[in-house]
Amino acid sequence: CVPSFRGFATPPKSSLENFHYLCLMFRWIMTLAMILAALTAAAIPTHGAHARTDSLMAVLDDVIARRPEYLQEKTERIAGLESRLRLAADDRERFDCMGMLFDEYAAFNSDSALAYSRRREAVASRMGNAERILNARMNYAATLCIMCMYKEALDIMDSIRTSDLPRYLHPYYYHIYRTAYGNLCEYAALEPLRGRYRQLTEIYRDSLLMVNEPGSLAYAITLADALNAEGRYGEALESLGAYIDSAR
């Protein structure tokens, strides 16, 4: 599953603002490194891929070494945002602040992310703003995916039409569907179901590639995901490594 990119369309300017981004890279580095290990075991020539993996593993080593630092900064950011929320002057500021808190908690504490998505929807409803209500509902659906509640997440998503969303929310919309169906494909016990979920995963992955900006983190990981699904492992490694090089 590829994590959500809400609020992280481009890498943050400071590496210390970047724990969520680095967690995403960690998962993909490990996935692709395991692919490379399988290729090596099969005696497939992968000299270029080995060099690229060495570069990716160097990034991973740095993430691991600095994990306490990133966690401390994340904790401080959350405390600052919660303080800002308590002092918010109006519902618009509350909604925006809850969105930032949702982003912080999404890959960190799903219970807190779920709570903030519900609180965010309540604020949006009080404001009478349909766009914000749908944004908050998608936050809720994304968190249900993290909690493996795929049917409930898809029920929410099926009630939302892209025509009712602003363009900036389209990548988030397609990402939630791709995540839900991708995970259902992995866990399906019956091949007919697995095949159907695989087809839907590919459809929403293609939609993501169309709406994400080339050069962004979301585009880089979605492209690596697509190449990996097609068995083009060396190209997936190269693509992800090129993004890391450009983001340094």
Side-chain angles (χ1 to χ4, degrees):
C1 131
V2 180
S4 170
F5 298 105
R6 184 193 176 283
F8 290 89
T10 57
K13 298 297 183 183
S14 166
S15 62
L16 292 182
E17 294 173 355
N18 211 5
F19 183 72
H20 187 186
Y21 160 67
L22 289 167
C23 284
L24 299 175
M25 302 313 293
F26 172 88
R27 292 187 62 173
W28 268 93
I29 290 167
M30 290 304 295
T31 300
L32 295 174
M34 287 188 288
I35 290 169
L36 181 62
L39 290 174
T40 303
I44 298 175
T46 54
H47 301 298
H50 274 300
R52 176 57 72 190
T53 301
D54 287 343
S55 174
L56 297 179
M57 293 305 293
V59 176
L60 175 57
D61 288 342
D62 182 64
V63 172
I64 293 171
R66 300 177 67 183
R67 182 174 180 273
E69 187 178 358
Y70 296 135
L71 286 173
Q72 177 62 31
E73 181 141 325
K74 186 175 189 70
T75 301
E76 291 173 2
R77 279 200 309 274
I78 288 172
L81 286 168
E82 289 177 339
S83 177
R84 177 178 163 185
L85 178 60
R86 288 192 293 272
L87 299 173
D90 54 35
D91 278 343
R92 180 169 184 170
E93 185 177 354
R94 290 185 189 92
F95 182 85
D96 291 342
C97 192
M98 287 178 186
M100 288 184 280
L101 281 162
F102 174 82
D103 279 338
E104 292 290 349
Y105 278 120
F108 188 63
N109 183 321
S110 58
D111 288 339
S112 294
L114 199 70
Y116 273 113
S117 71
R118 300 305 279 171
R119 290 179 62 185
R120 205 171 185 232
E121 184 176 351
V123 170
S125 295
R126 190 163 64 229
M127 295 171 70
N129 187 299
E131 176 185 316
R132 289 183 169 88
I133 291 170
L134 295 178
N135 191 337
R137 285 180 184 169
M138 290 197 296
N139 291 162
Y140 187 56
T143 309
L144 291 175
C145 281
I146 293 172
M147 302 172 77
C148 301
M149 298 175 68
Y150 306 118
K151 180 185 182 302
E152 292 80 358
L154 289 170
D155 285 345
I156 293 170
M157 295 306 297
D158 288 345
S159 72
I160 300 172
R161 298 176 299 181
T162 53
S163 59
D164 294 330
L165 297 172
R167 291 183 64 85
Y168 80 91
L169 284 176
H170 287 189
Y172 192 40
Y173 176 88
Y174 292 129
H175 164 76
I176 296 169
Y177 269 114
R178 182 263 170 267
T179 300
Y181 284 121
N183 287 344
L184 284 169
C185 178
E186 290 181 18
Y187 300 136
L190 302 177
E191 182 53 41
L193 277 178
R194 190 179 302 117
R196 174 60 177 159
Y197 292 145
R198 185 182 300 111
Q199 181 183 35
L200 288 166
T201 300
E202 292 170 358
I203 289 170
Y204 286 111
R205 185 192 294 121
D206 289 345
S207 296
L208 271 173
L209 286 172
M210 291 177 63
V211 298
N212 278 318
E213 182 181 354
S216 68
L217 170 61
Y219 186 89
I221 293 188
T222 304
L223 178 59
D225 178 31
L227 293 169
N228 179 46
E230 294 173 4
R232 297 159 64 184
Y233 309 125
E235 291 176 66
L237 278 167
E238 186 61 33
S239 173
L240 187 58
Y243 175 81
I244 292 175
D245 291 344
S246 70
R248 285 175 175 171

